[in-house]
Structure formats: structure tokens, C-alpha cells
Amino acid sequence: MKKIGVLFGMENSFPGALVEHINARNVDGIHAEFVETGAVHLDKPAPYAVIVDRISHDIPFYRAYLKHAALNGTAIINNPFWWSADDKFFNYSLAAKLGVAVPPTVILPHKKHPEGTTDRSMRNLEYPLNWESVFTYVGEHGFMKPVDGGGWRDVYHIHNRPEFFAAYDQSRDLCMLYQKAVEFNEYFRCYVVGQSKVRIMPYDPRKPHQERYVQNPPEYDKKLLARVEKDALTLCRALGYDLNTVEFAVEDGIPYAIDFMNPAPDADLNSVGQANFDWIVREVADLVIVKAKDALKAPKELGWATFLSGAAAGAPATKPTAKRSPAKKSAPKKAAKTAVSKPSEATD
């Protein structure tokens, strides 16, 4: 019996619905349950073929447990090695390299020295800081947020320089980034599952949390939706995330990637709505069942490249290229029909 485990914290609706949905399918040899662990023994692998991680970003003990499980062949959604190394500023840098539109963004030195450091630790830091260059590049209307934060914690909406410095003074020893505000006409939050399925959800971050998912959206330009889907897939494939949400703010027809470091995205029934909830439960169930069937294979090589690629859970880092034998002349054949892939779901 291959077990699928769900590791979670305070959330209620999604973990239970996922476990119930998987078990209701009665897939031969596969069972889903909530993860249970005590002290983790070095010589004992985790008893799960797949673990869906919803909480290790807040609990270092769980993150260490998941890395141990991945080393021993468990498929983790999402890869704990890559998630541990990720941050929002790197994400924006990567997006720019991939041709995905992102607003002008800078990272700022810590307002207060991190614990255990002093002025002497900062001798490579420019002083005084060239604040004028920051405002020239980003502007005075933007958002300040932690480089590795989430859940809208320590996020400040900036409208002018006094607000900028007031927010910066409150940032403690956090590493903050400052990003130009996008004057958006449309805003989308996209579920991306298995680096192949996308659900584009109209979203309004200006509203209260429980009202942000737009229930009766207008018609959107199909070319815009196609670009949003393409960019969402591009980002998640580059980041190696099997479950993520990607947010786009659209200004003058250009979708700017605003937030796409959400490997444990909101999936609460009360906030995302029934249709979105049913979709994410179904698609994650499909994904983990497939992974469970191919999990618990020992990695062929041990090293960071293997762990970051996810190959430790049985998937090769790259597809091997078959060697071609010398071509032989043959009679021309009729061209094969072009395969057409089924498009993923888009708007509600």
C-alpha cells in the first residue's frame, strides 16, 4: 500500500477534502491520510510515497523532516530544497530573464542589523544609501514587502516618500523589497498544478480577504488570458513548483507578474469559492495519485542538483536524449497528423 500524506497547520477545508477525495476514488494500492510524525530517526525513512506540504514554511522541524523524506524517495509537493532556497527578489529576477513582465523592483538593506551583527559587519554597504536612485527607478507609489514573506505580513502600500521611510523604519531586521505599484485594470490569481494545469481566477486584492475572488467576472480578451496562462506555466516550470499560485496585475494590456512564491497557496473553501475549491481538490488529487504510483525510488545520484531537480523522488532532472543512428534514405511518407493538446481550464 502506497500512502499519500497531507501535512498541514491551521487550515481546515482543503486537507480533509483532499484526503476524502483521493480515498473516494478507491485507487488500488493507494491510501491518503494526514501525516503523523514524532521525533524523526535518521535511519527510518518516512512511510509516505507522496507528501503534500502545506505548513513547513512556518515550522523548521517539518521542513527538516520533509528533506529527510525526499532524500529517501518520497515525492514532496512542493520540493522542500527549492522552496528553502527561494525568495521573491530572485523570482522577479528570474521572471525578467524569462521574458515575463515584472514591475521595477529593488531590495533594501536591513533597517536594523540582523541579530549577531554590528556596523562592522556592514562594511561593504554603501553609506549613506542613494535613496534618490531608488525613487528614480521605482517611483514613489509602490509596495514594500519582505523578500521571503507571505500571507500579506509586513506589507506596506506606499504613496509618497514619507510613507516609504515610515514603513522602512517599521521593518525591523527584515530584508525588504520595494516594487512599483501597477495601476491595474484587471487582476488575476492563477492556480498552477503539476506545471501543466492552470485555472485563471479574477481577483481583486483591494477588497476584504473573503471577497477577493470575483464571482461574476466580465469577459476578458482571449489573447490576454492566453498570455497569462503561458506566463504562469513558464514561471512554475522554471521554479520547479508542482503547486503554486501566480498573480498578475494588468496595466495597459500587459500582465505583470506580481506574486508567484506561493507553494502552499490559499485553498480554503470560504475564500476561494466552491467552483475554485472543487477544481483545486480534483487537480491536486490527480497529481498526487500519479506521483504515488511512481514514488519511492532511490535517487541514482546524491547531490544538490539531484535534490533541487526533484530527481530524488524518482523523476530524472532532464529527459535523456536518445542517440541517433545514421539516417537511411527511404521513400517519402505521408505527413502525420499534428497532435492538438487539450487546453487547460481558464476562467470560471
Side-chain angles (χ1 to χ4, degrees), residues 37 48 73 115 125 140 162 182 219 237 262 276 294 333:
T37 185
Y48 299 99
E115 186 177 356
L125 187 63
E140 296 187 22
V182 176
E219 291 290 330
R237 287 168 180 169
N262 299 297
N276 294 327
D294 194 42
K333 297 181 179 180

Side-chain angles (χ1 to χ4, degrees), residues 118-291:
T118 68
D119 290 345
R120 290 178 60 81
S121 306
M122 306 298 168
R123 287 185 288 180
N124 293 105
L125 187 63
E126 173 188 71
Y127 187 83
L129 286 166
N130 186 351
W131 293 112
E132 195 60 40
S133 71
V134 172
F135 294 118
T136 298
Y137 176 53
V138 179
E140 296 187 22
H141 184 201
F143 287 87
M144 189 182 297
K145 49 191 173 183
V147 74
D148 59 356
W152 287 86
R153 292 187 295 268
D154 297 296
V155 175
Y156 302 91
H157 191 180
I158 309 299
H159 298 87
N160 50 53
R161 296 192 187 195
E163 288 186 2
F164 173 92
F165 288 111
Y168 186 55
D169 288 344
Q170 296 177 62
S171 64
R172 308 182 302 282
D173 62 351
L174 298 173
C175 179
M176 305 293 282
L177 61 81
Y178 179 51
Q179 183 173 78
K180 179 180 175 62
V182 176
E183 304 294 340
F184 62 88
N185 301 309
E186 301 92 12
Y187 197 103
F188 301 109
R189 198 165 209 247
C190 307
Y191 276 136
V192 184
V193 178
Q195 301 176 34
S196 61
K197 301 288 186 68
V198 178
R199 184 172 180 84
I200 302 175
M201 300 174 288
Y203 188 80
D204 190 344
R206 298 165 297 195
K207 291 187 176 181
H209 182 74
Q210 303 294 337
E211 301 174 12
R212 290 179 179 176
Y213 292 88
V214 180
Q215 298 304 313
N216 297 297
E219 291 290 330
Y220 296 105
D221 182 5
K222 291 182 179 180
K223 291 184 178 180
L224 171 62
L225 296 178
R227 178 172 174 181
V228 166
E229 178 172 343
K230 174 179 175 292
D231 287 353
L233 288 171
T234 296
L235 291 169
C236 291
R237 287 168 180 169
L239 291 168
Y241 287 149
D242 283 315
L243 176 59
N244 197 7
T245 50
V246 182
E247 295 184 18
F248 294 93
V250 183
E251 181 178 356
D252 297 330
I254 299 174
Y256 290 90
I258 298 297
D259 187 11
F260 42 100
M261 184 183 163
N262 299 297
D266 177 22
D268 182 72
L269 171 61
N270 296 312
S271 61
V272 305
Q274 189 69 56
N276 294 327
F277 182 77
D278 291 343
W279 188 92
I280 194 65
V281 170
R282 181 179 68 251
E283 296 300 334
V284 173
D286 286 346
L287 174 67
V288 298
I289 288 171
V290 170
K291 284 186 174 291

